[in-house]
Amino acid sequence: MPALSPDTVALALPRDDLWVLHHVLLERLDAERTAPAPASIDPPPLAVYRVFDTLEAGETSVRITDLEAVTDVLRHDGACPPWCLGCARLAALRQRLMQLSERQQPSDTYEIADD
């Protein structure tokens, strides 16, 4: 695996979770093409394409800024797909990615020093 840059993070997920993430992203990318009215579906953000391509190449290092778009796909893209072994699995995966993203964000907490 190549060295991580400061703006990337490795998705340290079990193989099964990486597979689920890959397929959820694939379904999102195909949604426009397979919809009865493709014009009614907004295209996915570029970040979704980047993460999908990364996973497709067998890599797991993604941009920190792309994690939010990926968690949005897991959060907003409809019901649990029939191939998934349960919506709880998607919810747990989304939670892991959100936690990973939050750990990478700079702290917004500031302390005021007593003089």
Side-chain angles (χ1 to χ4, degrees), residues 8 48 51 55 57 67 71 75 82 87 89 104 106:
T8 61
V48 174
V51 173
L55 295 174
L67 284 178
T71 55
R75 181 183 304 120
C87 292
R89 181 179 203 152
Q104 304 304 318

Side-chain angles (χ1 to χ4, degrees), residues 7-9 46 50-51 54 61-68:
D7 65 338
T8 61
V9 64
L46 184 58
R50 280 194 298 262
V51 173
T54 297
S61 298
V62 300
R63 292 178 183 185
I64 294 167
T65 55
D66 292 347
L67 284 178
E68 187 174 327

Side-chain angles (χ1 to χ4, degrees), residues 14-74:
R15 174 185 264 169
D16 290 347
D17 286 346
L18 289 170
W19 184 89
V20 168
L21 178 59
H22 175 271
H23 281 72
V24 168
L25 297 178
L26 177 61
E27 283 191 4
R28 176 61 182 101
L29 296 174
D30 282 347
E32 200 175 10
R33 183 182 57 82
T34 59
S40 67
I41 296 178
D42 289 333
L46 184 58
V48 174
Y49 287 95
R50 280 194 298 262
V51 173
F52 177 80
D53 288 344
T54 297
L55 295 174
E56 187 75 6
E59 297 293 328
T60 59
S61 298
V62 300
R63 292 178 183 185
I64 294 167
T65 55
D66 292 347
L67 284 178
E68 187 174 327
V70 170
T71 55
D72 282 346
V73 168
L74 293 172

